[in-house]
Amino acid sequence: NMLPDLRQSINWTSNILSDIVLNGMLQYNGMAGYSDLSKESEVEAIHSFVVKRARLDYQTQENSNENTE
């Protein structure tokens, strides 16, 4: 898969994600900054969604493991 799975990056703070998305912190890795297209509040919402989704997926996996034991 060519795209990173952000659920595995939930330890990033919203500040780090903001530096990546808005300020282009990873521009040399191919991730340009999008400060002209996005706002801080949108980055915070994305971060919240990713964290929530990662926790939900983890819980689903744990429940699945409990049901197979």
Side-chain angles (χ1 to χ4, degrees):
N1 192 356
M2 301 266 315
L3 300 175
D5 186 345
L6 293 178
R7 294 172 299 171
Q8 297 178 13
S9 305
I10 63 168
N11 291 328
W12 289 357
T13 65
S14 60
N15 290 339
I16 291 172
L17 190 60
S18 179
D19 282 341
I20 293 168
V21 175
L22 298 178
N23 302 326
M25 186 172 98
L26 296 179
Q27 64 184 335
Y28 298 108
N29 292 350
M31 178 66 185
Y34 293 96
S35 60
D36 57 331
L37 301 172
S38 299
K39 297 183 279 187
E40 184 74 35
S41 61
E42 293 170 321
V43 174
E44 290 173 8
I46 292 167
H47 182 260
S48 294
F49 171 79
V50 170
V51 169
K52 182 178 179 178
R53 183 60 201 224
R55 289 180 179 154
L56 178 64
D57 290 350
Y58 176 79
Q59 189 61 45
T60 300
Q61 181 179 354
E62 288 297 304
N63 289 342
S64 177
N65 289 342
E66 289 174 3
N67 292 333
T68 60
E69 293 177 355

